Every structure is written in structure tokens, then in C-alpha cells.
Amino acid sequence: MTDHHLYGTSTHTADELARLVGDRLGLVFTERDSDYRGITRDRRIEIQPNLIPGEDGDEDDLYAPDHPAAQALLLTTTPAPDPTLQARLRAVEGLHHLSRPDDATDDGRQRRR
């Protein structure tokens, strides 16, 4: 069963979060060309801004509207629960776990209630 988790931070930008998480996990993140999916590592961990730029001057949207204070998000997708990864991510200062696996949709976004 695929396991999804959503983390957020109001204290770090997506770039800063990628450096912090990369240092903690020994990973190198590469930036993908995407309007709202920013920095990724093997599709297992994605880091992106919460703000999705609007099109043609439209108002910007939030990827996680239930968490407007989070300026950067970290999404994990693993084939099975990975408590070691979750513990290491929770140890990153300023990074907070925002959703449980049963709160997530198939693409890792938080399900609306």
C-alpha cells in the first residue's frame, strides 16, 4: 500500500528546506521544470512552494489550502510506511507533519474535509 505524508514549514523557503532535508538524509535534490512542483528526489520526496502561481494574472492558489501559513511543502510517497524516514523528517527544525496517510489522496495532496 502506498504511503503518503505531507509536511510543511513557515520558516523555510523551498530551497532552504531542500538543503536542510538533503543534508539530514544525505540526498541531492534536483529542480524540475514545473509551475508548482519544485524540487524533487526520485519522486519519493518532493519539496515545493505552497503557492501555485495563477495563470494569466489570476489570483494565486495554495497547493495545501488547509495550511496557508506553510510557505514550503514536503511530500513523501513510499511503497510502504517508512517510520525511519518519518522520524528523520520530523527532526528537521521548523518542519511539521501536516497529514496522516489516510488523509491523503492518491497524489499525496491533503484530502478536503
Side-chain angles (χ1 to χ4, degrees), residues 6-9 11-12 16-17 19-25 74 76 82-98:
L6 176 66
Y7 298 81
T9 179
T11 57
H12 304 295
E16 293 167 344
L17 186 57
R19 281 191 299 278
L20 287 168
V21 171
D23 289 347
R24 179 162 301 273
L25 300 179
L74 183 146
T76 64
D82 188 339
T84 302
L85 174 63
Q86 294 167 23
R88 292 175 79 186
L89 290 173
R90 286 186 173 132
V92 174
E93 185 177 340
L95 186 62
H96 304 283
H97 190 252
L98 302 177

Side-chain angles (χ1 to χ4, degrees), residues 96-112:
H96 304 283
H97 190 252
L98 302 177
S99 71
R100 298 182 318 269
D102 59 349
D103 288 340
T105 61
D106 287 339
D107 63 0
R109 289 183 293 162
Q110 185 155 5
R111 197 180 304 256
R112 287 205 179 271

Side-chain angles (χ1 to χ4, degrees), residues 5-107:
H5 288 267
L6 176 66
Y7 298 81
T9 179
S10 61
T11 57
H12 304 295
T13 65
D15 288 336
E16 293 167 344
L17 186 57
R19 281 191 299 278
L20 287 168
V21 171
D23 289 347
R24 179 162 301 273
L25 300 179
L27 301 174
V28 175
F29 288 89
T30 56
E31 194 162 355
R32 292 187 335 186
D33 185 22
S34 172
D35 288 337
Y36 63 92
R37 295 247 171 162
I39 304 165
T40 186
R41 166 70 177 160
D42 296 333
R43 296 204 178 269
R44 185 177 108 151
I45 299 175
E46 296 184 36
I47 298 173
Q48 67 186 50
N50 193 12
L51 192 63
I52 302 170
E55 293 183 20
D56 300 326
D58 290 344
E59 194 171 310
D60 295 337
D61 292 320
L62 294 177
Y63 185 80
D66 294 340
H67 304 285
Q71 67 174 335
L73 302 173
L74 183 146
L75 299 87
T76 64
T77 304
T78 54
D82 188 339
T84 302
L85 174 63
Q86 294 167 23
R88 292 175 79 186
L89 290 173
R90 286 186 173 132
V92 174
E93 185 177 340
L95 186 62
H96 304 283
H97 190 252
L98 302 177
S99 71
R100 298 182 318 269
D102 59 349
D103 288 340
T105 61
D106 287 339
D107 63 0

